[in-house]
Amino acid sequence: MLPLLIAGVLTTSCGGQNCDGTKCREELGLGPEKMKDRDAAFYKENPSDASRLNVFVENSVSMNGYVTGNTGFKTVVYRVVGQLSADVLQNGDSISFNYINSEIVPFKGKKREFLKQGLDCNASRPGHFSTSGGDRANSDIMTSIEDVIKRTPSGEISMFVSDCVYSPEPAADIDKALEKQQTDMLNALKNKAKTDPRFGVVLYRLTSDFHGIYYNKTNGKIQCDGPRPYFIWLFGDASILANAYRSLEKIMTSEKATSLTGIKGYAYLPYKTKKSDHPYHYLYAKPKTPISFLADISDLPLSTDYLLNKANYLCSNKKYAIKSIEKVSEKGVSDKGTYNYKFTIKPLYEDDHSVLPRTVIEISLLSPLRDRAVWEKKFDDPKGTDYDKGYNSKLQRTFGIKSLVEGIADFYNEKAYATFKVAIN
């Protein structure tokens, strides 16, 4: 793992004409290695391609409505698997297909068969959606998630598709049961991080036409013929998830999907100052001097819109502000990597200093989970009562999804996913 960046005030040994970049890097916690070697090590430790894609589709009876008829659910699953196969896998045929209910049931046919007949509730062939085996009447969403996480080794990526509706035990205390599910989600991620510290999760929420029975929290049957929400989860190392996120961005935008990302913050991402004295330091900078740096943030599984939004960043020094964030393409210093974003910082000093005071500026990219309450309020059915009076197409919420998101947020609780530091004078 690359060394943690440590903020600090620069010492006298790193200033004026005496700064050759070595002492400055030490003060910023970057270590003595050359920039090219540091970045090469980063890309080696954070590959973007996966060796295998593991697909898990929940096929409990509550999912029948998504695979009855020519639904949007089928189309999206087909497109997502194809896109990940083409863009993320080292070998596009390294895919395992599985149904999941009370247990994991591997699908023994070929990719096209799974994505066509395998996602058809009315297919009568053995080993397909409704004839795969396992207990389709009784499944537990958290158990399924735990099973998927355990079966996602470092270097691979897993895709889990489900409606994620919580099914409580009869006479259960709902509030306590949801608290338990939140804790179980936290502990599943904790345990995984012991062997894979770069493990992360991306959660997409989508909607599809649904033709079938919705089962409420008391297993009451409600006929639905209209849109219903469902979720696609991606699990794997953060750098692989980032590649997958970019690959799926057009599909998810066209489907009006929303997403949440949970990763551990990066200690280092490749960056360098632009038009400065050396890669991390501006010397003799004045109040009107543009202070810019280039960064490769392609290893963050976040949307382009999120990365370009200045509101998602925090500047450590109130005397400076982010002026602009632009998409660029400039070759990095190592054999791999490209600087794809340019950040420009402006001083806010009103008096006309001859040079700016010596300081270190930190620009931090904030976690999107900080705004999860808005997402939860919109998409969580807190009591599981939305359809108590029958199906209502205007209510597109999911009972229990908040507890899963809160478990994710409990583990990935860093304020920032990345921080860039630049020395001034």
Side-chain angles (χ1 to χ4, degrees):
M1 183 64 71
L2 291 161
L4 181 66
L5 301 184
I6 302 174
V9 178
L10 299 180
T11 62
T12 307
S13 60
C14 186
Q17 296 177 345
N18 295 323
C19 182
D20 63 359
T22 302
K23 294 180 181 294
C24 178
R25 288 195 301 270
E26 293 174 355
E27 292 291 341
L28 293 172
L30 293 173
E33 66 272 15
K34 293 181 179 179
M35 185 180 184
K36 181 178 180 179
D37 296 335
R38 181 184 308 113
D39 288 1
F42 173 85
Y43 292 118
K44 183 177 180 180
E45 293 174 6
N46 296 277
S48 60
D49 294 335
S51 59
R52 188 175 184 83
L53 168 62
N54 309 295
V55 179
F56 301 88
V57 176
E58 184 193 353
N59 72 329
S60 63
V61 292
S62 67
M63 294 290 291
N64 285 355
Y66 294 104
V67 292
T68 299
N70 188 23
T71 61
F73 175 93
K74 292 182 181 181
T75 301
V76 169
V77 172
Y78 183 94
R79 294 179 68 195
V80 168
V81 170
Q83 201 76 16
L84 294 177
S85 172
D87 293 343
V88 180
L89 291 184
Q90 298 166 5
N91 179 345
D93 294 326
S94 296
I95 308 176
S96 70
F97 293 98
N98 308 269
Y99 298 114
I100 187 167
N101 42 68
S102 63
E103 59 186 85
I104 292 175
V105 183
F107 180 77
K108 298 179 181 179
K110 296 182 180 180
K111 177 171 71 172
R112 186 169 294 274
E113 184 182 358
F114 179 86
L115 296 173
K116 294 284 188 178
Q117 295 90 345
L119 296 179
D120 186 350
C121 181
N122 297 318
S124 58
R125 291 183 61 184
H128 284 61
F129 192 89
S130 57
T131 59
S132 64
D135 186 352
R136 297 183 65 235
N138 296 285
S139 62
D140 177 75
I141 183 62
M142 193 58 236
T143 299
S144 295
I145 291 174
E146 289 172 339
D147 287 343
V148 173
I149 289 175
K150 290 175 182 177
R151 287 164 172 78
T152 310
S154 180
E156 297 186 11
I157 183 171
S158 290
M159 169 183 169
F160 171 55
V161 189
S162 170
D163 63 357
C164 293
V165 175
Y166 179 61
S167 300
E169 296 291 333
D173 183 316
I174 297 299
D175 290 338
K176 290 183 179 179
L178 290 175
E179 288 177 2
K180 179 181 180 300
Q181 180 165 269
Q182 177 177 338
T183 301
D184 289 343
M185 184 78 240
L186 166 64
N187 289 335
L189 295 170
K190 272 186 178 180
N191 288 327
K192 186 63 176 178
K194 293 174 183 177
T195 56
D196 187 0
R198 293 305 309 156
F199 190 81
V201 55
V202 174
L203 174 61
Y204 292 103
R205 179 199 177 271
L206 305 98
T207 58
S208 168
D209 40 332
F210 181 100
H211 309 289
I213 302 297
Y214 170 81
Y215 296 83
N216 65 15
K217 64 183 180 183
T218 59
N219 272 333
K221 298 180 179 180
I222 300 162
Q223 179 66 38
C224 299
D225 284 293
R228 281 283 304 148
Y230 70 99
F231 301 85
I232 293 180
W233 299 66
L234 298 180
F235 295 102
D237 295 339
S239 54
I240 295 174
L241 291 179
N243 189 9
Y245 198 105
R246 292 192 303 275
S247 172
L248 300 179
E249 194 156 12
K250 286 186 179 180
I251 293 176
M252 294 303 176
T253 299
S254 68
E255 293 294 325
K256 299 181 180 178
T258 61
S259 66
L260 292 172
T261 296
I263 61 171
K264 287 296 183 181
Y266 280 95
Y268 174 81
L269 287 173
Y271 76 108
K272 70 172 184 178
T273 51
K274 187 171 180 65
K275 295 183 179 179
S276 65
D277 303 88
H278 65 73
Y280 307 107
H281 193 176
Y282 276 87
L283 294 177
Y284 304 117
K286 297 183 179 181
K288 294 184 180 181
T289 300
I291 298 170
S292 301
F293 65 89
L294 302 169
D296 180 359
I297 50 181
S298 59
D299 279 341
L300 292 165
L302 298 167
S303 71
T304 301
D305 288 344
Y306 189 91
L307 295 172
L308 287 172
N309 188 345
K310 293 188 290 184
N312 294 324
Y313 295 82
L314 180 67
C315 184
S316 62
N317 192 322
K318 294 182 179 180
K319 292 291 187 178
Y320 295 83
I322 299 175
K323 180 181 179 181
S324 64
I325 305 170
E326 309 166 58
K327 285 210 72 175
V328 297
S329 181
E330 185 171 318
K331 182 174 172 51
V333 296
S334 72
D335 293 336
K336 293 184 178 181
T338 300
Y339 298 117
N340 46 29
Y341 284 81
K342 176 185 175 184
F343 296 79
T344 301
I345 314 300
K346 62 179 179 181
L348 300 179
Y349 287 92
E350 295 181 359
D351 48 337
D352 189 16
H353 293 278
S354 57
V355 293
L356 292 169
R358 295 175 62 187
T359 189
V360 172
I361 301 173
E362 298 182 21
I363 302 298
S364 298
L365 173 62
L366 301 175
S367 164
L369 291 174
R370 76 190 193 282
D371 294 328
R372 66 188 181 278
V374 176
W375 191 95
E376 292 167 348
K377 184 176 181 180
K378 185 175 181 179
F379 298 129
D380 180 66
D381 176 6
K383 299 297 182 181
T385 57
D386 277 358
Y387 293 168
D388 278 4
K389 296 181 180 180
Y391 172 69
N392 184 342
S393 63
K394 295 181 180 180
L395 295 176
Q396 296 298 309
R397 304 193 298 181
T398 302
F399 178 45
I401 193 64
K402 177 181 177 180
S403 63
L404 297 175
V405 171
E406 285 299 310
I408 293 170
D410 285 344
F411 182 69
Y412 299 110
N413 55 11
E414 289 87 351
K415 183 177 181 180
Y417 281 173
T419 298
F420 302 98
K421 303 178 183 181
V422 178
I424 307 294
N425 292 327

